[in-house]
Amino acid sequence: MTSDDTTLDASAPWLEVDALIDDPRTRIVVCCGSGGVGKTTTAAALGVRAAERGRKVVVLTIDPARRLAQSMGISELDNVPRQVKGVDESAGGELHAMMLDMKRTFDEIVEGHADAERARAILENPFYQSLSAGFAGTQEYMAMEKLGQLRAGDAWDLIVVDTPPSRSALDFLDAPKRLGSFLDGKFIRVLMAPAKVGGRAGMKFLNVGMSMMTGTLSKLMGGQLLRDVQTFVAAMDTMFGGFRTRADATYRLLQAPGTAFLVVAAPERDALREAAYFVERLAAEQMPLAGLVLNRVHGSGAAQLSAERALAAAEALTEGLPDRVPEDEAAAPEADDDANSSSRDGGSPSAENLEPAGIVDLADGKTGSRTPGGPSPAAAAEHATSPPAPAAQLAAGLLRLHAERMQVLARERRTRDRFTALHPEVPVTEVGALPGDVHDLAGLRTIGDRLALRPGETEV
């Protein structure tokens, strides 16, 4: 990687990644962004780098993809943090990784906040089983719960969170509000009312106040489902306040100074448009934004050769050349012998120029003519100054490839400059594209090195 790979303008603020992860006050780093931009790899690389610089780190991925486990050499990630082997711990750091198990996290909450009998009733309830397995918003809320648990345990110096792909990543922020709206909704209050009133009064309320409603709901939901929901709400009644309290506490934790959000994007128009949305939303929610990671940025070690000059040189090289080299070019001596034979039979060359060894150059020499000792001086000179057709075509192809690369670089820079013009206050770091996918710790270290490069620096 050359210094040309890091193309960030000096006027744009630079994101100092090492300063961020080295600061003991930084306790949570949240990586967010649209899908396919490298959030999981960025989160893992940050975790490896922070651990090898002395922090005790846990990386929590919410993305169901298994890339994080594969790159860290772990057969499988689950809801329990697992130590990553192969990390240099000489500075005193450690690295653990885990993947959110939404249902298991929900089960842990129930088991931790209800007595054994009530917990069993909740866990066996069909409505709860559907809710915990995939109810809209449950994943994001459980991510908030798990983050709160990790932070409260205080077992790690740094928690790095990898959020789900696409705009739904910011559902992570909305989860407490949506949960509160759900729990405070009229439907839930009505379902909870019989359990709260209790006894005959409760039954009377249920029979009189809900007779019409339950009849309609039974038709829409089915009588069994309605009974399951009512049973679930009654069992969860004492836990609802705890859900809200913990969610609100985690939300405040995300706004605290010890938290840093990193928006990850590729140098493409759609990805940076999404990044701008994230930046604006985080500002509106008063979340601490650390900066933008511009991932997979292309570079060139020959940036001084513009696309226009490269294309012009390619055109000059191929001008007058055949589209392809004849396959029988190696048979040229035989063709010359055939030409000589035809000349002897009355062809165009004059008789005095014919010799057994070929056409003798009697005057200044002509291109392609030969002397008895080999090519004429004129032919030798032309051979020395003009590359053979295959070499010229190869050079022209390489020049055209370079021109394409330079056009990509120009497009990426224009796209990035539009973002920095709209958000000049956002620090940016650029990560040069690798030739292949990252699938091990060595690759994650390389990404970490590139994350920390200063503009104009060369990777060691």
Side-chain angles (χ1 to χ4, degrees), residues 314-455:
E315 184 69 22
L317 278 173
T318 56
E319 186 175 359
L321 289 178
D323 292 338
R324 59 188 297 273
V325 180
E327 294 179 359
D328 57 351
E329 186 177 11
E334 296 180 10
D336 287 343
D337 291 341
D338 291 342
N340 293 340
S341 299
S342 64
S343 298
R344 294 188 184 97
D345 293 336
S348 58
S350 58
E352 62 267 27
N353 285 354
L354 293 177
E355 294 290 343
I359 301 175
V360 179
D361 186 9
L362 298 180
D364 294 335
K366 299 176 182 177
T367 300
S369 64
R370 292 183 294 159
T371 66
S376 68
E382 181 182 52
H383 180 75
T385 56
S386 299
Q393 289 172 337
L394 177 61
L398 292 173
L399 285 166
R400 290 192 180 97
L401 286 175
H402 175 76
E404 290 177 7
R405 169 59 64 90
M406 295 307 297
Q407 289 165 351
V408 169
L409 264 64
R411 183 170 66 249
E412 290 181 352
R413 289 169 181 166
R414 287 194 302 269
T415 306
R416 180 208 61 205
D417 290 346
R418 280 195 292 269
F419 175 89
T420 55
L422 287 172
H423 300 283
E425 77 288 354
V426 177
V428 181
T429 188
E430 294 186 351
V431 180
L434 292 177
D437 292 334
V438 174
H439 54 81
D440 55 17
L441 285 175
L444 292 175
R445 288 191 188 95
T446 300
I447 294 294
D449 291 340
R450 296 188 177 200
L451 276 166
L453 279 179
R454 292 176 176 272

Side-chain angles (χ1 to χ4, degrees), residues 250-322:
T250 306
Y251 191 79
R252 290 192 298 272
L253 180 65
L254 291 175
Q255 293 176 316
T259 300
F261 280 82
L262 289 177
V263 177
V264 184
E268 301 165 1
R269 183 170 56 184
D270 290 344
L272 279 171
R273 185 184 295 118
E274 292 293 290
Y277 166 79
F278 284 123
V279 167
E280 292 161 7
R281 176 69 196 281
L282 290 168
E285 298 288 340
Q286 298 181 336
M287 299 290 175
L289 173 65
L292 172 74
V293 175
L294 200 55
N295 202 17
R296 300 172 187 157
V297 177
H298 292 90
S300 173
Q304 66 276 12
L305 178 60
S306 67
E308 293 77 11
R309 289 175 58 201
L311 288 174
E315 184 69 22
L317 278 173
T318 56
E319 186 175 359
L321 289 178

Side-chain angles (χ1 to χ4, degrees), residues 17-31:
V17 170
D18 281 348
L20 176 69
I21 62 177
D22 289 348
D23 190 344
R25 294 171 297 181
T26 303
R27 303 299 302 274
I28 299 172
V29 174
V30 181
C31 297

Side-chain angles (χ1 to χ4, degrees), residues 51-336:
E52 294 188 336
R53 293 174 71 87
R55 305 293 299 273
K56 191 173 182 181
V57 187
V58 60
V59 178
L60 166 63
T61 180
I62 306 170
D63 189 344
R66 303 284 173 173
R67 294 187 303 275
L68 183 62
Q70 294 168 355
S71 63
M72 292 186 170
I74 300 175
S75 59
E76 188 174 356
L77 290 180
D78 53 24
N79 217 41
V80 178
R82 300 187 180 278
Q83 187 166 2
V84 178
K85 303 299 182 182
V87 173
D88 183 0
E89 299 179 354
S90 59
E94 293 180 11
L95 179 62
H96 295 73
M98 62 182 297
M99 186 172 72
L100 177 72
D101 184 329
M102 181 174 61
K103 186 179 187 311
R104 184 61 212 146
T105 301
F106 211 152
D107 292 350
E108 289 172 356
I109 296 169
V110 171
E111 292 166 351
H113 295 85
D115 57 66
E117 183 177 352
R118 179 166 293 193
R120 185 173 61 256
I122 294 171
L123 296 176
E124 293 176 355
N125 183 275
F127 179 73
Y128 167 78
Q129 292 172 0
S130 297
L131 176 70
S132 61
F135 194 75
T138 307
Q139 183 188 47
E140 290 77 20
Y141 176 75
M142 289 304 123
M144 295 284 281
E145 281 279 352
K146 181 55 67 176
L147 175 58
Q149 291 174 12
L150 292 172
R151 184 65 183 87
D154 207 30
W156 290 275
D157 298 336
L158 180 64
I159 303 168
V160 182
V161 182
D162 167 38
T163 58
S166 77
R167 284 196 177 191
S168 66
L170 288 185
D171 288 345
F172 188 75
L173 304 179
D174 293 330
K177 294 179 181 178
R178 285 204 312 276
L179 180 71
S181 298
F182 172 71
L183 298 179
D184 292 333
K186 293 180 179 178
F187 177 65
I188 292 296
R189 288 205 303 270
V190 169
L191 292 178
M192 288 172 64
K196 287 188 173 182
V197 175
R200 286 185 182 176
M203 291 302 297
K204 183 177 180 180
F205 176 87
L206 182 61
N207 291 332
V208 176
M210 295 187 66
S211 58
M212 294 181 64
M213 178 180 175
T214 53
T216 303
L217 288 174
S218 293
K219 292 178 183 178
L220 294 174
M221 304 170 60
Q224 184 60 49
L225 177 58
L226 180 59
R227 286 190 292 274
D228 290 341
V229 173
Q230 290 173 329
T231 304
F232 166 75
V233 170
M236 292 284 288
D237 180 24
T238 57
M239 295 182 60
F240 283 147
F243 273 95
R244 276 194 299 268
T245 300
R246 289 191 304 277
D248 291 342
T250 306
Y251 191 79
R252 290 192 298 272
L253 180 65
L254 291 175
Q255 293 176 316
T259 300
F261 280 82
L262 289 177
V263 177
V264 184
E268 301 165 1
R269 183 170 56 184
D270 290 344
L272 279 171
R273 185 184 295 118
E274 292 293 290
Y277 166 79
F278 284 123
V279 167
E280 292 161 7
R281 176 69 196 281
L282 290 168
E285 298 288 340
Q286 298 181 336
M287 299 290 175
L289 173 65
L292 172 74
V293 175
L294 200 55
N295 202 17
R296 300 172 187 157
V297 177
H298 292 90
S300 173
Q304 66 276 12
L305 178 60
S306 67
E308 293 77 11
R309 289 175 58 201
L311 288 174
E315 184 69 22
L317 278 173
T318 56
E319 186 175 359
L321 289 178
D323 292 338
R324 59 188 297 273
V325 180
E327 294 179 359
D328 57 351
E329 186 177 11
E334 296 180 10
D336 287 343

